[in-house]
Amino acid sequence: MIDTTQIRNAFLKRLANPLASEVLFDQLENLTYFVKDDRGRYISVNQTLVERCGETEKAALIGRTSAEVFPDPLGEFFIRQDLEVVRTNRPLINELEQHPYPTHKTGWCLTTKMPLCDVGGEPIGLVGMSRDVQSPDQDPADFASVADVVQQIKRNLNQPLKTTDLAKSAKLSAWQLDQRMRELFGVTTAQLVLQSRMDIAAKRLRGSQESIVSIALAIGYSDQSAFSRQFRKTFGMPPGDYRRHR
């Protein structure tokens, strides 16, 4: 059997520049790319991010934090987000948020940040990207309403979350909300709710000894059996087996 880990590690040791992917991301104008250390300081950035910060050279960002290159309150928000990813060693996936541009306007994007660990498994930084989702002809208010719905979902997973109610809070029809969710995340509102619940359940099963019934109740299921059926459908195994395997 081929030892894929050995092949991969041997290749990586031969790389002259472990951040060679930065050059690839320099070619993408609608996406910012970055690597940061455990204090949130930029280690690697693409040219798009440099220009979004109103600079011309990458050296202007390296060694600085988001709080030092972005205006408040966005800069402080980004650095808190960075430090939380490193502290918890947990990724941030497809966060819908606003980013500033050199024109002093803001645009909506989807941000993902993944923790980076040393050889001992301790988080020492993060790698991330932010992809533009707003075209010039779209109203920023459209994304603001969807962002509010996403935050409602995250804060209230233990509550019934009906698409009609979420749409009403956003002053949209259920159809309009689903359309915007599909455009951004590739899923309907109900599917995003389910995805969020299963993600949280999996994290709790991996990272705690909390009882399965407590996890089920915390993410909006009235009983353990209904939760276990859905979990098995999503991950291919019951929650108990998932915890033992992970």
Side-chain angles (χ1 to χ4, degrees), residues 215-236:
I215 294 174
L217 294 173
I219 60 171
Y221 286 87
S222 58
D223 61 78
Q224 182 176 328
S225 61
F227 163 67
S228 296
R229 284 194 300 273
Q230 182 58 60
F231 192 91
R232 181 168 189 156
K233 184 177 179 181
T234 303
F235 291 96

Side-chain angles (χ1 to χ4, degrees), residues 233-246:
K233 184 177 179 181
T234 303
F235 291 96
M237 65 180 72
D241 289 353
Y242 180 89
R243 170 173 275 167
R244 284 189 292 272
H245 284 294
R246 298 290 175 169

Side-chain angles (χ1 to χ4, degrees), residues 14-218:
R14 293 172 59 196
L15 281 177
N17 177 14
L19 298 175
S21 56
E22 177 186 310
V23 179
L24 174 64
F25 285 106
D26 279 340
Q27 311 308 312
L28 304 176
E29 296 182 356
N30 67 338
L31 183 146
T32 62
Y33 163 83
F34 47 86
V35 176
K36 301 180 181 182
D37 66 11
D38 57 356
R39 292 171 59 182
R41 297 176 297 192
Y42 288 107
I43 302 299
S44 176
V45 297
N46 73 338
Q47 191 60 33
T48 300
L49 179 57
V50 173
E51 294 168 3
R52 296 282 173 91
C53 294
E55 304 288 351
T56 57
E57 301 293 333
K58 294 181 180 181
L61 269 64
I62 305 304
R64 302 170 70 190
T65 69
S66 298
E68 295 173 302
V69 299
F70 286 109
D72 287 335
L74 287 175
E76 286 296 332
F77 171 76
F78 293 150
I79 185 63
R80 288 197 304 271
Q81 193 181 70
D82 294 339
L83 298 179
E84 180 71 6
V85 169
V86 175
R87 183 186 68 80
T88 62
N89 197 19
R90 292 179 180 175
L92 180 79
I93 306 294
N94 281 344
E95 186 78 1
L96 183 60
E97 58 188 23
Q98 285 187 302
H99 274 200
Y101 296 93
T103 58
H104 302 294
K105 294 182 179 180
T106 56
W108 288 93
C109 65
L110 286 173
T111 296
T112 292
K113 297 180 179 181
M114 307 292 294
L116 292 173
C117 297
D118 62 16
V119 292
E122 292 297 317
I124 59 170
L126 62 89
V127 58
M129 63 180 184
S130 295
R131 176 174 59 86
D132 295 345
V133 295
Q134 180 182 336
S135 63
D137 61 339
Q138 287 179 298
D139 186 348
D142 292 346
F143 292 93
S145 61
V146 175
D148 288 342
V149 169
V150 172
Q151 292 304 316
Q152 282 187 60
I153 292 171
K154 290 183 177 182
R155 291 193 302 264
N156 300 289
L157 286 176
N158 63 331
Q159 302 294 324
L161 292 169
K162 296 181 180 180
T163 300
T164 51
D165 294 336
L166 292 168
K168 186 177 180 180
S169 70
K171 295 183 172 59
L172 299 170
S173 70
W175 183 86
Q176 288 173 318
L177 180 59
D178 273 345
Q179 284 295 100
R180 289 173 190 176
M181 287 292 186
R182 284 194 187 96
E183 289 175 9
L184 292 170
F185 303 108
V187 295
T188 65
T189 310
Q191 288 169 334
L192 183 64
V193 171
L194 175 60
Q195 185 182 81
S196 300
R197 284 177 168 149
M198 291 297 104
D199 283 345
I200 293 297
K203 288 176 183 177
R204 290 195 179 193
L205 287 166
R206 292 195 305 266
S208 75
Q209 294 302 311
E210 191 176 1
S211 69
I212 293 175
V213 66
S214 295
I215 294 174
L217 294 173

